[in-house]
């Protein structure tokens, strides 16, 4: 059974940094592209970033490009999102998903709050 | 970037009645491999989204057969033949053909 468990969310001041983690189990992590998707409270979904199975490819939404970095450690079955220069508009629930062009599994999400 | 436009945004439905949600993309979603990467998701209150349909019309395992997806090119539809109480939530279409992948605004289904 596939499980994706995010952690690392919390309250951060504007301009601050945060690193999200996602632990994966129930499948061969190194075989799959992974992604981060976010959802501001009460709003819709935005695809933030994806990374290929061997970390050769990654891309970002324009809204986070240059500030966020996606990475993974296949030996630890873990996905990460380093978020720098955080803004109020980055506040959201961040979901770790198993996905390339299609999402088949979602984590439960971790909440990031950006406020002074 | 591809814009996904859903309608309606609010959908009050009587139990047992059908429901239909439209999703239109600003560009064709046919990818170079011949597939059309159009998914439908359901997000129940307080839960993570759950995929219902992939590649336009393929139902995920465990999804009731009252849900169906159809369409091609830029016009897609999610249909529920008979709405049940457990169907309450927000429904999103999503395209995975053109980066950045994108979601529709969401359609909130409620029981009338």
């Amino acid at each position: 059974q596939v499980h994706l468990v995010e952690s690392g969310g919390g309250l951060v001041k504007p301009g601050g940094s945060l690193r999200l983690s996602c632990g994966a189990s129930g499948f061969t992590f190194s075989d799959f592209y992974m992604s981060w998707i976010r959802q501001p409270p009460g709003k819709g979904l935005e695809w933030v970033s994806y990374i290929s199975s061997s970390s050769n490819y990654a891309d970002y939404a324009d809204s986070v490009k240059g500030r966020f970095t996606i990475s993974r450690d296949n030996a630890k079955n873990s996905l990460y999102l380093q978020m720098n220069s955080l803004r109020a508009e980055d506040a959201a629930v961040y979901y770790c998903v198993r996905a390339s062009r299609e999402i088949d599994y979602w984590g439960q999400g971790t909440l990031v709050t950006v406020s002074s | 970037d591809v814009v996904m436009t859903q309608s309606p945004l609010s959908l009050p439905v009587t139990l047992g009645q059908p429901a239909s949600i439209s999703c239109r993309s600003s560009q064709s979603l046919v990818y170079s491999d011949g597939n059309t990467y159009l998914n439908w998701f359901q997000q129940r209150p307080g839960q993570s989204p759950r995929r219902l349909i992939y590649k336009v019309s393929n139902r995920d395992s465990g999804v009731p057969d009252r849900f169906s997806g159809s369409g091609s090119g830029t016009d897609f539809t999610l249909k529920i033949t008979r709405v049940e109480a457990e169907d309450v939530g927000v429904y999103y279409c999503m395209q995975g053909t053109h980066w950045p992948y994108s979601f529709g605004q969401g359609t909130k289904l409620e029981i009338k």
Side-chain angles (χ1 to χ4, degrees):
Chain A
Q1 192 174 2
V2 172
H3 276 117
L4 300 170
V5 180
E6 302 93 337
S7 60
L11 174 63
V12 61
K13 290 182 169 56
S17 298
L18 213 53
R19 188 193 196 209
L20 305 183
S21 299
C22 171
S25 61
F27 65 103
T28 304
F29 182 72
S30 57
D31 285 349
F32 290 86
Y33 278 52
M34 298 293 294
S35 298
W36 288 98
I37 289 171
R38 68 184 180 182
Q39 184 172 36
K43 296 190 176 180
L45 299 160
E46 180 187 18
W47 204 305
V48 175
S49 179
Y50 76 83
I51 186 168
S52 65
S53 53
S54 55
S55 303
N56 289 343
Y57 305 103
D59 210 338
Y60 303 87
D62 285 347
S63 57
V64 307
K65 200 169 287 186
R67 301 186 298 121
F68 289 14
T69 303
I70 192 171
S71 62
R72 64 191 295 162
D73 184 335
N74 287 345
K76 294 183 177 179
N77 291 340
S78 294
L79 176 73
Y80 306 102
L81 186 68
Q82 177 66 44
M83 304 187 296
N84 298 330
S85 303
L86 282 160
R87 305 168 179 167
E89 55 265 33
D90 295 319
V93 173
Y94 284 74
Y95 294 102
C96 165
V97 300
R98 192 176 84 170
S100 52
R101 298 185 176 279
E102 297 182 299
I103 304 167
D104 53 3
Y105 291 98
W106 298 67
Q108 86 288 349
T110 187
L111 177 64
V112 172
T113 304
V114 183
S115 175
S116 53
Chain B
D1 295 359
V2 176
V3 176
M4 305 295 287
T5 303
Q6 289 182 229
S7 63
L9 300 185
S10 177
L11 184 56
V13 184
T14 300
L15 285 173
Q17 293 301 301
S20 179
I21 301 170
S22 170
C23 175
R24 291 186 172 173
S25 58
S26 59
Q27 299 178 34
S28 171
L29 298 186
V30 180
Y31 187 55
S32 55
D33 63 6
N35 289 311
T36 299
Y37 292 98
L38 186 284
N39 295 343
W40 288 97
F41 296 90
Q42 175 195 61
Q43 187 173 31
R44 290 172 171 151
Q47 295 186 12
S48 301
R50 160 204 184 195
R51 193 176 70 181
L52 301 175
I53 302 285
Y54 62 97
K55 290 190 186 72
V56 181
S57 59
N58 296 276
R59 198 180 309 115
D60 272 278
S61 174
V63 174
D65 61 7
R66 64 179 182 274
F67 289 92
S68 66
S70 63
S72 63
T74 61
D75 288 335
F76 305 93
T77 303
L78 176 70
K79 291 183 178 178
I80 309 173
T81 52
R82 292 173 306 279
V83 169
E84 298 188 5
E86 66 178 17
D87 300 335
V88 165
V90 181
Y91 291 79
Y92 295 94
C93 60
M94 186 223 92
Q95 67 85 16
T97 298
H98 306 283
W99 180 258
Y101 309 143
S102 48
F103 294 86
Q105 317 97 299
T107 295
K108 186 173 185 178
L109 186 150
E110 61 179 23
I111 303 302
K112 203 185 292 183

